[in-house]
Amino acid sequence: MLEKYKPDIIFLQEIDMYTRRAYFKNQIYSFSKYARLLYRSMGTSIKYNEGFYGDGILSRFPIEYSVNFLSPLIYKDSEQRSHLCNKVFIGTTKLNLYSVHLSTYEDERLLACQELLDITNNIPNNEKIIIAGDFNAGISKEGKHKYSFKEQDEYKEYEILKGRFNKVENTDPTWFAGDQKRMH
């Protein structure tokens, strides 16, 4: 199905590598084959279920380098999150790609956004930056695997980032892995 969209780059979150729940398969490799995007990378956030769990990037363009930055944690029950950065060249354009999966705790999300600003401040102005992923804006953790969402006019996470970046409004629905009705 992805083939009909002919994507150049796909940002992925909650990717398993060799975990029991993924039948010990390398999901980033499988998704890369399925999407026909030859270049891929995965940043591990945590060891999980006999394997690894984190973020990924698939690209039509060769990945020049990849680095994974672990997000700051405040609470002992927080899940470690990360920012996966890949640099690709499209002709003479240098493109820095960040696949992020921010915390379900607002104060950790705000720290992670500030960290993203700090990390990207070292990128020269002639290079482009795309940050995409699961920002969890408006989400609050209510308990184990229980979350609530509060829609707001503005989110502090985006306020931090908008000083340096332009937010692109998503006009297409966001699909959740657990919502099979919305999957095409």
Side-chain angles (χ1 to χ4, degrees):
M1 187 61 169
L2 284 173
E3 292 173 24
K4 81 175 188 176
Y5 296 105
K6 298 182 180 159
D8 291 320
I9 299 165
I10 298 176
F11 299 84
L12 299 165
Q13 295 75 46
E14 300 186 26
I15 300 298
D16 284 357
M17 184 182 285
Y18 310 122
T19 64
R20 222 175 316 128
R21 72 179 176 189
Y23 304 102
F24 302 100
K25 298 213 185 298
N26 180 336
Q27 284 187 329
I28 198 76
Y29 177 76
S30 298
F31 293 156
S32 173
K33 281 179 48 180
Y34 178 74
R36 296 188 182 189
L37 296 173
L38 298 178
Y39 305 100
R40 61 194 170 272
S41 72
M42 179 170 170
T44 299
S45 299
I46 60 172
K47 289 182 87 171
Y48 178 77
N49 209 319
E50 299 180 37
F52 304 95
Y53 171 87
D55 304 317
I57 295 177
L58 306 178
S59 174
R60 183 171 314 287
F61 312 101
I63 296 170
E64 296 297 319
Y65 77 81
S66 180
V67 62
N68 195 45
F69 300 95
L70 295 179
S71 297
L73 298 176
I74 295 175
Y75 306 106
K76 65 180 178 178
D77 68 332
S78 293
E79 178 184 311
Q80 181 65 65
R81 308 294 177 114
S82 60
H83 319 303
L84 173 62
C85 174
N86 286 191
K87 185 176 282 196
V88 300
F89 292 84
I90 304 172
T92 58
T93 302
K94 295 177 185 176
L95 192 56
N96 296 271
L97 311 171
Y98 289 85
S99 182
V100 302
H101 187 198
L102 302 185
S103 177
T104 55
Y105 293 110
E106 182 183 48
D107 43 1
E108 287 184 347
R109 288 194 303 271
L110 299 178
L111 281 175
C113 288
Q114 186 58 54
E115 180 182 63
L116 270 170
L117 282 182
D118 294 343
I119 292 167
T120 58
N121 276 337
N122 296 322
I123 296 174
N125 289 334
N126 65 334
E127 296 184 17
K128 307 293 182 200
I129 301 169
I130 298 175
I131 300 172
D134 186 350
F135 284 81
N136 275 321
I139 297 292
S140 295
K141 186 172 185 172
E142 303 293 328
K144 187 171 182 165
H145 303 293
K146 293 184 182 181
Y147 306 93
S148 64
F149 172 71
K150 181 180 176 189
E151 188 168 353
Q152 300 168 207
D153 291 333
E154 293 182 1
Y155 297 96
K156 294 176 187 176
E157 298 85 348
Y158 301 142
E159 291 299 310
I160 290 171
L161 295 173
K162 80 177 186 180
R164 177 161 160 96
F165 304 105
N166 297 318
K167 182 178 179 283
V168 177
E169 293 300 325
N170 183 13
T171 58
D172 294 324
T174 299
W175 297 343
F176 296 94
D179 187 356
Q180 298 300 315
K181 293 178 207 151
R182 296 184 75 183
M183 299 297 277
H184 298 322

